[in-house]
Amino acid sequence: MNGDKNPLRELTPSRSASDSATLVIFGATGDLTARKLMPALYSLFCQDLLPGDFKIVGFARRPKTSEIFRNEIASYLQNLNKGSRLDSFLSAVHYHRGDYTLAESHVGLKKKLEKFGHNRLFYLATPPSQYESIITNLGTAQLAATAGGWIRVIIEKPFGHDVKRSGELNRFIARVFNENQIYRIDHYLGKETVQNILVFRLANGIFEPIWNRRYVDHVQITVAEKVGVEGRGRFFEETGILRDIVQNHMLQLLCLTAMEPPSTFDANAVRDEKVKVLQSIRAIEIDQVENTTVRAQYAAGSMDGIMKKGYLQEEGVDPLSSTETFTALQLYPDNWRWAGVPFYLRTGKRLPKRVTEISIYFKDAPLKIFGKRADDVKPNVLTLNIQPDEGISLRFDSKVPGQGGKIRPVTMDFRYGTSFGVDPPDAYERLLLDALLGDSTLFTRADESENAWRIIQPILDYWQNYKKKPLPQYNIGTWGPAEAAKLLKRSGRRWRRL
Ligand code: BG6
């Protein structure tokens, strides 16, 4: 399988990788493998979507046999209730003990792989600090190319740490792999509801004419989480929510909302349009960061009746840390379609609930023709609920039944659950299968990643040089600090109440 595929055509059934393939997971004993990769692979296996001759090789430092590794995987797959094919799935799983930094470990891997087919997918699920060693050693062991098969590499986020380092990482990987072999993963792109953004916009004729600055007042994108940093304090200290969520997931959501229709659904045509959106985002001047962004940390407090630590008390966090767990910002795509339309982004940990959504706020009707009766009239809002209550809803105003003739907003709702009656597959299922099929549409291209870093770089620089200590705090279970509301209030707008 090769080439860039049409994602819409591929939404049809019978997507199965028919060749043989071997998936090598670096970081096989880590959390991602246990929580996401193995369940996704097992689910694909149970749906007969994996290649007939499929092998998984787990690569990690800890000494263990393939037998022990299989037992560990079995222990976390057993609860998935997928029927009785576990033994058959596990028979394809092998373990390779190795050190990411040692060439000989990769030579040993090569020997092991020679027993299997020519097609190979390497998955880098290790901390990013290991990427360069693994890539170098794959090159040295001549594992980056193969006669008569394909080789691809999936790289987990975070991809780089800033614009400079993401460029360096891209150039480093390019010494060993061609761009069309590299699959930079952003799991948001594998979510069913995220794929549906383009389908919704482009398969329906009625939205395109109003999807622009003439009808849209502004756009709000929210990624809210109820959880805190969940034992990942050390990682979060290095990252912060701007890098963790905005640079990748949220800018991808913005791109899919704002992009022009691609000329075809080839991977490159789709990604070209996303890159154009990123390039059009007005650069934030360093002296504007204070006015156009907000950052804060969650304070200790009670959530659902249980006391929770504040960010500064979390394990692995510097008690004087200025790493943000909440951010809100305002971006302007300076292009023909969106000139003057602000896109507001907000994301945070320990907010009142888990919800990701994109809301398109339309301009008011030209005239308040119903006068006082329409005092409660609200702008029309189209909301794409990405998760957890997947759906789409449209808010519009309606006459309240009765003699008074009052007007108030109502919503028209579509829910995936009730319309389709099936749970959407996990994002990793889609993305692993796409990588096996050679479809890179839902993966991030080098220039996409670098342009996304370019957008947030002035914010990172300003925050780095202007270390506010202590950072503003917000009460857990609230929608962030008061500054977030002020960001919109200045232009007479407000965040959607969720
Ligand atoms: C990850 C971040 O990329 O996305 C996490 O590193 C975050 O901090 C997670 O919790 C959220 O993913 P989802 O699919 O639950 O919205």
Side-chain angles (χ1 to χ4, degrees):
M1 299 276 164
N2 55 40
D4 300 320
K5 302 218 154 191
N6 175 338
L8 297 186
R9 196 176 62 229
E10 292 298 333
L11 290 174
T12 53
S14 74
R15 278 169 45 89
S16 59
S18 50
D19 304 294
S20 69
T22 305
L23 170 68
V24 180
I25 305 175
F26 292 91
T29 52
D31 187 52
L32 184 76
T33 307
R35 276 192 318 111
K36 294 291 182 187
L37 304 185
M38 287 299 175
L41 288 164
Y42 184 43
S43 176
L44 290 171
F45 175 80
C46 292
Q47 297 167 70
D48 294 318
L49 291 172
L50 291 177
D53 178 14
F54 186 65
K55 301 278 186 297
I56 301 172
V57 177
F59 185 123
R61 283 211 175 104
R62 288 182 213 160
K64 67 178 76 174
T65 60
S66 291
E67 199 54 41
I68 293 176
F69 186 50
R70 284 185 202 125
N71 289 341
E72 285 169 2
I73 296 169
S75 68
Y76 40 75
L77 292 185
Q78 249 144 16
N79 307 329
L80 292 184
N81 212 3
K82 291 262 180 195
S84 55
R85 298 182 62 190
L86 193 52
D87 287 344
S88 166
F89 173 73
L90 291 174
S91 66
V93 176
H94 303 259
Y95 186 75
H96 180 77
R97 186 203 169 189
D99 187 325
Y100 306 127
T101 61
L102 294 182
E104 66 223 42
S105 295
H106 294 72
V107 174
L109 175 69
K110 188 177 184 203
K111 281 212 189 92
K112 188 166 271 168
L113 294 182
E114 272 157 11
K115 288 188 254 149
F116 306 144
H118 292 297
N119 300 328
R120 288 166 197 161
L121 177 60
F122 297 109
Y123 198 122
L124 272 53
T126 62
S129 53
Q130 307 290 345
Y131 291 171
E132 295 195 359
S133 301
I134 298 171
I135 301 275
T136 307
N137 287 325
L138 285 175
T140 314
Q142 298 189 324
L143 276 166
T146 177
W150 50 256
I151 305 279
R152 298 177 191 132
V153 57
I154 300 183
I155 302 178
E156 262 297 331
K157 68 174 271 281
F159 191 86
H161 190 72
D162 52 27
V163 76
K164 183 164 167 279
R165 279 189 266 173
S166 77
E168 285 166 1
L169 183 58
N170 277 326
R171 286 188 290 281
F172 189 89
I173 300 173
R175 287 198 236 150
V176 177
F177 290 100
N178 297 323
E179 180 62 28
N180 65 9
Q181 294 179 286
I182 306 168
Y183 289 65
R184 294 173 197 78
I185 204 161
D186 178 330
H187 77 279
Y188 262 58
L189 294 180
K191 290 181 191 276
E192 200 69 47
T193 43
V194 174
Q195 293 169 54
N196 196 36
I197 299 172
L198 281 192
V199 177
F200 175 77
R201 283 186 53 196
L202 307 180
N204 298 297
I206 62 171
F207 301 108
E208 174 56 22
I210 55 170
W211 207 263
N212 54 52
R213 76 194 143 77
R214 278 186 292 281
Y215 294 92
V216 175
D217 177 74
H218 73 281
V219 176
Q220 295 186 15
I221 304 180
T222 300
V223 175
E225 291 186 283
K226 207 170 170 183
V227 292
V229 292
E230 292 207 293
R232 297 197 304 158
R234 218 174 301 274
F235 161 81
F236 213 77
E237 276 288 88
E238 293 285 305
T239 315
I241 207 147
L242 187 68
R243 287 187 174 93
D244 191 35
I245 303 282
V246 177
Q247 188 273 341
N248 34 73
H249 307 328
M250 294 191 88
L251 287 178
Q252 286 292 340
L253 295 180
L254 184 152
C255 283
L256 292 167
T257 308
M259 67 187 262
E260 293 302 318
S263 50
T264 69
F265 272 99
D266 282 354
N268 278 331
V270 172
R271 295 184 297 179
D272 286 346
E273 294 306 331
K274 288 201 278 171
V275 169
K276 285 185 208 162
V277 175
L278 295 170
Q279 286 172 335
S280 79
I281 304 276
R282 190 183 304 166
I284 301 178
E285 300 296 335
I286 210 102
D287 60 356
Q288 288 301 311
V289 173
E290 199 67 48
N291 290 335
T292 53
T293 69
V294 174
R295 63 175 166 155
Q297 290 168 338
Y298 59 83
S302 155
M303 193 172 225
D304 302 330
I306 301 167
M307 268 310 283
K308 303 280 183 197
K309 287 180 183 168
Y311 178 65
L312 297 179
Q313 292 88 51
E314 298 277 13
E315 204 186 315
V317 172
D318 174 359
L320 294 174
S321 169
S322 57
T323 301
E324 77 293 349
T325 62
F326 176 95
T327 189
L329 56 150
Q330 167 191 323
L331 296 173
Y332 282 97
D334 275 344
N335 60 27
W336 202 258
R337 186 187 284 265
W338 296 111
V341 178
F343 281 60
Y344 296 105
L345 277 50
R346 67 173 160 171
T347 179
K349 303 268 182 198
R350 288 269 184 250
L351 299 186
K353 57 176 170 176
R354 175 172 183 254
V355 55
T356 297
E357 62 158 58
I358 303 166
S359 287
I360 319 289
Y361 278 68
F362 290 94
K363 291 187 170 166
D364 289 338
L367 187 66
K368 289 212 164 180
I369 206 159
F370 294 105
K372 272 197 172 313
R373 282 192 290 154
D375 276 353
D376 288 334
V377 162
K378 295 255 171 43
N380 297 133
V381 183
L382 178 73
T383 298
L384 310 181
N385 301 88
I386 304 297
Q387 63 187 25
D389 190 14
E390 291 90 354
I392 297 176
S393 62
L394 178 65
R395 183 173 81 184
F396 55 91
D397 294 296
S398 175
K399 179 180 174 302
V400 178
Q403 306 308 325
K406 277 191 94 161
I407 295 174
R408 87 170 160 76
V410 292
T411 55
M412 203 152 70
D413 269 326
F414 147 69
R415 296 288 124 197
Y416 282 75
T418 39
S419 293
F420 296 114
V422 287
D423 288 335
D426 185 77
Y428 278 90
E429 279 183 42
R430 167 79 193 204
L431 295 174
L432 281 162
L433 186 55
D434 277 4
L436 287 166
L437 289 164
D439 184 348
S440 55
T441 315
L442 301 180
F443 293 83
T444 314
R445 211 169 54 189
D447 51 351
E448 225 176 321
S449 162
E450 284 183 45
N451 273 291
W453 279 112
R454 185 192 54 76
I455 292 167
I456 65 160
Q457 191 62 48
I459 310 175
L460 293 171
D461 289 343
Y462 180 82
W463 287 356
Q464 170 72 22
N465 296 329
Y466 176 60
K467 289 201 176 220
K468 250 192 196 171
K469 283 185 184 177
L471 216 60
Q473 304 259 306
Y474 56 98
N475 291 330
I476 66 173
T478 67
W479 289 100
E483 287 83 352
K486 285 189 202 142
L487 182 70
L488 270 71
K489 210 172 170 189
R490 269 182 238 135
S491 56
R493 300 178 174 110
R494 54 193 291 180
W495 290 106
R496 210 169 105 78
R497 226 175 260 143
L498 298 172

